[in-house]
CSV table of all heavy atoms in Angstrom, one decimal:
chain,number,residue,atom,x,y,z
Z,219,VAL,N,119.7,194.3,107.8
Z,219,VAL,CA,119.7,195.2,106.6
Z,219,VAL,C,119.7,194.3,105.3
Z,219,VAL,O,120.5,193.4,105.2
Z,219,VAL,CB,120.9,196.1,106.6
Z,219,VAL,CG1,120.9,197.0,105.3
Z,219,VAL,CG2,121.0,197.0,107.8
Z,221,ILE,N,120.8,193.7,101.9
Z,221,ILE,CA,121.9,194.3,101.1
Z,221,ILE,C,121.8,193.8,99.7
Z,221,ILE,O,121.8,192.6,99.4
Z,221,ILE,CB,123.2,193.9,101.8
Z,221,ILE,CG1,123.3,194.7,103.2
Z,221,ILE,CG2,124.4,194.3,100.9
Z,221,ILE,CD1,124.2,194.1,104.1
Z,299,PRO,N,129.9,191.8,99.4
Z,299,PRO,CA,130.1,193.1,98.9
Z,299,PRO,C,130.7,194.1,99.9
Z,299,PRO,O,131.0,193.6,101.1
Z,299,PRO,CB,128.6,193.5,98.7
Z,299,PRO,CG,127.8,192.8,99.8
Z,299,PRO,CD,128.6,191.5,99.9
Z,300,ARG,N,130.9,195.3,99.5
Z,300,ARG,CA,131.4,196.3,100.4
Z,300,ARG,C,130.3,196.7,101.4
Z,300,ARG,O,129.2,197.0,100.9
Z,300,ARG,CB,131.9,197.5,99.6
Z,300,ARG,CG,133.1,198.1,100.1
Z,300,ARG,CD,133.6,199.3,99.3
Z,300,ARG,NE,134.0,200.4,100.2
Z,300,ARG,CZ,135.2,200.3,100.9
Z,300,ARG,NH1,135.9,199.2,100.8
Z,300,ARG,NH2,135.5,201.2,101.8
Z,301,LEU,N,130.6,196.7,102.6
Z,301,LEU,CA,129.5,196.8,103.6
Z,301,LEU,C,129.6,198.1,104.4
Z,301,LEU,O,128.6,198.4,105.2
Z,301,LEU,CB,129.6,195.7,104.6
Z,301,LEU,CG,129.3,194.3,104.0
Z,301,LEU,CD1,129.7,193.2,105.0
Z,301,LEU,CD2,127.9,194.1,103.5
Z,302,SER,N,130.6,198.9,104.2
Z,302,SER,CA,130.8,200.1,105.1
Z,302,SER,C,129.6,201.0,105.2
Z,302,SER,O,129.2,201.5,106.2
Z,302,SER,CB,132.1,200.9,104.8
Z,302,SER,OG,132.0,201.2,103.4
Z,303,GLY,N,128.9,201.2,104.0
Z,303,GLY,CA,127.8,202.1,103.9
Z,303,GLY,C,126.6,201.6,104.7
Z,303,GLY,O,125.7,202.4,105.1
Z,304,ASP,N,126.5,200.3,104.9
Z,304,ASP,CA,125.3,199.7,105.6
Z,304,ASP,C,125.5,199.5,107.1
Z,304,ASP,O,124.6,199.1,107.8
Z,304,ASP,CB,125.0,198.3,105.0
Z,304,ASP,CG,124.6,198.5,103.5
Z,304,ASP,OD1,123.6,199.2,103.3
Z,304,ASP,OD2,125.2,197.9,102.6
Z,305,ILE,N,126.7,199.8,107.6
Z,305,ILE,CA,127.0,199.5,109.0
Z,305,ILE,C,126.2,200.3,110.0
Z,305,ILE,O,125.7,199.8,111.0
Z,305,ILE,CB,128.6,199.5,109.2
Z,305,ILE,CG1,129.1,198.2,108.7
Z,305,ILE,CG2,128.9,199.8,110.7
Z,305,ILE,CD1,130.6,198.1,108.8
Z,306,PRO,N,126.0,201.6,109.7
Z,306,PRO,CA,125.2,202.4,110.6
Z,306,PRO,C,123.8,201.8,110.8
Z,306,PRO,O,123.3,201.7,112.0
Z,306,PRO,CB,125.2,203.8,110.0
Z,306,PRO,CG,126.4,203.9,109.2
Z,306,PRO,CD,126.6,202.5,108.7
Z,307,ALA,N,123.2,201.4,109.7
Z,307,ALA,CA,121.8,200.8,109.8
Z,307,ALA,C,121.9,199.5,110.6
Z,307,ALA,O,120.9,199.1,111.3
Z,307,ALA,CB,121.2,200.6,108.4
Z,308,MET,N,122.9,198.7,110.4
Z,308,MET,CA,123.1,197.4,111.1
Z,308,MET,C,123.2,197.7,112.6
Z,308,MET,O,122.5,197.0,113.4
Z,308,MET,CB,124.3,196.7,110.7
Z,308,MET,CG,124.3,196.1,109.3
Z,308,MET,SD,125.9,195.3,109.0
Z,308,MET,CE,126.0,195.4,107.2
Z,327,ALA,N,133.6,195.5,109.5
Z,327,ALA,CA,133.7,194.5,108.4
Z,327,ALA,C,135.1,194.4,107.9
Z,327,ALA,O,135.8,195.4,107.8
Z,327,ALA,CB,132.8,194.9,107.2
Side-chain angles (χ1 to χ4, degrees):
V219 180
I221 293 161
R300 216 181 142 70
L301 298 170
S302 53
D304 294 302
I305 282 177
M308 293 181 203

